[in-house]
């Protein structure tokens, strides 16, 4: 095996796009597997990390290989790895302090991966981990959706929305979603019960008495969400500001918690005024939950939605397309050195 690999990295924040360079192949620790990456998906967090927008929550050293989720083949396993062996097809979302899936090889802890369900190709499997886990954690863990609950999922046509609609339907919810008219058919096929064209209509004039809003937009769209939820319901955002509860759970130092408290005062006020609880979710890797998502795929209840697949060499184009905000489902990078499917 080569001792070096190609990887897409940045050498400082605010770089305009990552550069593909040669670096040593990582050494797996005892609880790691070394994976030859076949495909990786672009997530908006990759762009935010590159811009330095997550410095409050995550600290990185440079040079930094970007990329949060992947699909590939196990090459070697560490001495303490029991559940995986060379040749296994695996996928996962890596720990936030060990990102680097835009590379030909990746060392990843065994607890963060799962076997790829048989029906999925590497390209399809790479579309699921980050958005699948985020949606699962928002809808099942935080909201604890029950059959008949009414939930609004903002941006049903995005990477998150396309998976969240399917999971919410599987949990028995009535699902409203927003997108522009060109994506109506897509979100209806995924199971959305009510679709709102956010460019023509204001969701607050159409929806009321909802149990939950899954917010993917932040800002004023997030603030408006409180007006359509019943008292006792929840607004769960993955894009808005974190609040003091999150700062405590996440273990942020006191000065950061104070800064967050000041920045989120409008959300705190809305929470008090409406009786609707606000939660900020920062998803976490979880191989066991990923295995549950894999079961949903095998049962025909979850299917990744892919907008386009680009070769690794076109990572700059992939980043630019993600930054446009127009993706319908996921953007996938295919790694050159990976074995064919
Ligand atoms: N906190 C966490 O753990 C976490 C985890 C995952 C993602 N996130 C965040 O969640 C956000 C969404 O991620 P994503 O992967 O779904 O993004 P994405 O795939 O880039 O979203 C693109 C989609 O958003 C739609 N859209 C854009 N503006 C909209 C609006 N105002 N109303 C309704 N739809 C709109 C677009 O549809 P049109 O083309 O029709 O406009 C497009 O289909 C990002 O900010 C990401 O960083 C956070």
């Amino acid at each position: 095996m080569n001792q070096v690999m190609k990887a897409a990295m940045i050498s400082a924040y605010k770089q305009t796009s990552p550069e593909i360079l040669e670096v040593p192949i990582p050494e797996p620790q005892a609880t790691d597997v070394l994976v030859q990456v076949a495909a990786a998906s672009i997530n908006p967090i990759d762009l935010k990390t590159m811009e330095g927008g997550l410095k409050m929550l995550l600290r990185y050293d440079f040079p930094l290989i970007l990329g949060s989720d992947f699909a590939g083949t196990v090459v070697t396993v560490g001495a303490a790895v029991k559940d995986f062996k060379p040749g296994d097809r695996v996928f996962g979302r890596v720990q936030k302090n060990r990102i680097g899936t835009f590379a030909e090889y990746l060392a990843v802890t065994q607890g963060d991966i799962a076997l790829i369900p048989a029906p999925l190709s590497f390209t399809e499997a790479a579309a699921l981990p980050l958005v699948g886990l985020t949606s699962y954690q928002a809808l099942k863990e935080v909201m604890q959706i029950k059959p008949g609950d009414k939930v609004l999922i903002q941006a049903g046509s995005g990477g998150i929305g396309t998976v969240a609609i399917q999971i919410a339907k599987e949990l028995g919810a009535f699902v409203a979603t927003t997108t522009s008219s060109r994506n109506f058919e897509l979100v209806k096929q995924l199971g959305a019960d009510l679709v709102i064209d956010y460019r023509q209509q204001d969701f607050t004039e159409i929806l009321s008495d909802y149990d939950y809003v899954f917010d993917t937009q932040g800002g004023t769209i997030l603030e408006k969400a409180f007006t359509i939820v019943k008292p006792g319901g929840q607004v769960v955002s993955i894009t808005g500001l974190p609040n003091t509860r999150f700062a405590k759970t996440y273990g942020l130092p006191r000065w950061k918690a104070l800064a967050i408290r000041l920045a989120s005062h409008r959300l705190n006020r809305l929470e008090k005024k409406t009786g609707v609880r606000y939660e900020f979710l920062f998803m976490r890797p979880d191989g066991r939950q990923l295995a549950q998502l894999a079961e949903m795929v095998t049962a025909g209840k979850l299917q990744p939605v892919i907008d386009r697949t680009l070769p690794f060499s076109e990572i700059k184009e992939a980043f630019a397309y993600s930054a446009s905000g127009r993706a319908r489902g996921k953007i996938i990078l295919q790694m050159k050195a990976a074995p064919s499917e």
Side-chain angles (χ1 to χ4, degrees):
M1 196 168 92
N2 266 345
Q3 297 308 301
V4 291
M5 63 173 188
K6 290 200 173 84
M9 53 183 62
I10 54 170
S11 51
Y13 286 130
K14 300 205 181 297
Q15 207 165 300
T16 47
S17 53
E19 292 292 331
I20 298 181
L21 299 170
E22 283 203 338
V23 292
I25 290 176
E27 285 285 331
Q29 298 163 12
T31 53
D32 285 348
V33 304
L34 182 71
V35 173
Q36 185 177 18
V37 180
S41 91
I42 308 276
N43 289 284
I45 194 171
D46 305 322
L47 284 80
K48 291 178 186 174
T49 301
M50 187 168 74
E51 286 157 8
L54 293 169
K55 277 192 273 187
M56 190 78 163
L57 301 180
L58 299 169
R59 236 196 76 81
Y60 290 116
D61 296 326
F62 297 100
L64 174 67
I65 305 176
L66 295 175
S68 302
D69 59 6
F70 72 95
T73 308
V74 175
V75 181
T76 56
V77 300
V81 173
K82 299 273 176 287
D83 298 335
F84 300 96
K85 58 181 186 319
D88 281 347
R89 297 165 80 238
V90 294
F91 65 154
R93 194 285 190 232
V94 295
Q95 292 292 325
K96 291 169 193 147
N97 61 357
R98 292 187 78 189
I99 62 171
T101 63
F102 299 155
E104 290 175 320
Y105 292 90
L106 170 78
V108 54
T109 182
Q110 59 179 338
D112 294 344
I113 61 176
L115 292 173
I116 295 175
L120 294 189
S121 66
F122 285 122
T123 307
E124 291 168 322
L128 270 184
L130 192 146
V131 294
L133 290 169
T134 308
S135 303
Y136 185 96
Q137 288 163 15
L139 298 162
K140 195 153 176 174
E141 280 187 357
V142 184
M143 298 177 198
Q144 301 182 8
I145 289 204
K146 305 177 301 302
D149 284 345
K150 292 202 303 191
V151 59
L152 167 64
I153 296 172
Q154 296 282 17
S157 52
I160 291 285
T162 48
V163 168
I165 291 173
Q166 297 179 70
I167 296 176
K169 287 310 297 174
E170 174 56 16
L171 294 172
F174 177 90
V175 175
T177 195
T178 54
T179 185
S180 63
S181 55
R182 73 190 182 107
N183 296 319
F184 269 36
E185 268 320 298
L186 169 69
V187 296
K188 280 185 189 157
Q189 275 168 19
L190 294 170
D193 298 291
L194 196 162
V195 187
I196 297 169
D197 181 351
Y198 74 92
R199 296 185 187 204
Q200 307 289 338
Q201 297 166 297
D202 182 339
F203 68 93
T204 61
E205 287 169 11
I206 299 168
L207 309 178
S208 57
D209 281 339
Y210 266 60
D211 298 287
Y212 304 104
V213 173
F214 183 14
D215 172 72
T216 59
Q217 300 300 307
T220 52
I221 297 178
L222 163 60
E223 290 183 9
K224 279 160 60 172
F226 285 83
T227 65
I228 69 152
V229 178
K230 293 175 189 166
Q234 285 182 57
V235 172
V236 178
S237 182
I238 53 173
T239 308
L241 288 165
N243 59 4
T244 312
R245 272 196 297 276
F246 171 82
K248 235 184 234 162
T249 325
Y250 198 66
L252 289 178
R254 196 182 291 195
W255 74 268
K256 286 190 179 178
L258 183 63
I260 282 175
R261 197 172 117 200
L262 294 173
S264 62
H265 76 279
R266 286 170 66 91
L267 293 166
N268 296 337
R269 267 217 316 264
L270 279 167
E271 198 179 46
K272 284 205 184 90
K273 191 173 144 198
T274 57
V276 172
R277 189 177 168 92
Y278 175 66
E279 293 287 348
F280 173 79
L281 170 71
F282 201 21
M283 63 82 60
R284 59 176 202 287
D286 188 326
R288 268 185 289 193
Q289 284 183 355
L290 199 53
Q292 288 173 24
L293 293 170
E295 277 174 27
M296 281 182 70
V297 171
T298 307
K301 291 174 175 161
L302 178 64
Q303 181 64 30
V305 176
I306 295 176
D307 178 312
R308 61 189 64 182
T309 303
L310 295 162
F312 185 36
S313 57
E314 290 179 25
I315 190 166
K316 291 183 186 181
E317 289 78 359
F319 266 55
Y321 184 54
S322 176
S324 77
R326 297 284 78 77
R328 294 155 51 98
K330 298 289 297 174
I331 307 161
I332 309 293
L333 287 177
Q334 220 152 15
M335 315 308 294
K336 212 172 169 193
S340 59
E341 308 214 342

